[in-house]
Amino acid sequence: MLLAIIIPHYNESWDICRPFFDIINAQKGVDFNDFRITIIHDGFDIDQFPIQETYGKGKLYSIVNQINIPHAGVSVCRNYGLQLATADWVCFCDCDDCYASVFSLMMIFHVLKS
């Protein structure tokens, strides 16, 4: 079972978005082969979003895909990400939001399997 997390991103700084990725990086009990994160940057310079520089070639390195499109709005970003998704399940999350705890994804997978 594969879960795609699609994140539209417009102009939030890395400092605002980093807690989301810190929580993903700290996940326990989750097989990182079970999900992918796609960030659709809405006209934003990808070089200002240092995911690989922050986390190195750890578990986030292989599951995060960043795509830059011309500025078109959050709805276009979501739809673009949805068209690219090849997962069994898809969810959307804004990059300035957070999961409630480091066990959140484990609970999501538990619910999806049941």
Side-chain angles (χ1 to χ4, degrees):
M1 177 181 320
L2 187 62
L3 172 67
I5 302 172
I6 299 170
I7 303 172
H9 175 250
Y10 173 58
N11 204 20
E12 298 87 4
S13 72
W14 176 243
D15 292 335
I16 291 173
C17 301
R18 184 176 178 160
F20 174 86
F21 296 99
D22 285 344
I23 288 176
I24 296 290
N25 195 49
Q27 289 292 301
K28 306 288 184 203
V30 173
D31 183 353
F32 274 68
N33 293 316
D34 286 342
F35 70 99
R36 298 288 177 268
I37 298 172
T38 302
I39 306 165
I40 310 294
H41 295 283
D42 187 17
F44 186 80
D45 183 7
I46 291 176
D47 294 334
Q48 295 180 20
F49 214 74
I51 291 175
Q52 274 72 25
E53 291 84 357
T54 304
Y55 302 106
K57 294 196 175 193
K59 50 191 167 185
L60 283 182
Y61 183 81
S62 63
I63 66 166
V64 174
N65 184 25
Q66 298 187 75
I67 298 168
N68 195 2
I69 64 171
H71 177 58
V74 69
S75 298
V76 172
C77 289
R78 287 187 182 116
N79 288 333
Y80 191 83
L82 189 57
Q83 289 174 357
L84 295 176
T86 58
D88 303 307
W89 296 91
V90 175
C91 73
F92 298 96
C93 188
D94 292 337
C95 64
D96 59 349
D97 293 338
C98 278
Y99 284 103
S101 72
V102 296
F103 299 105
S104 299
L105 280 177
M106 181 182 67
M107 293 306 297
I108 288 171
F109 280 109
H110 177 73
V111 170
L112 292 178
K113 288 177 184 175
S114 65

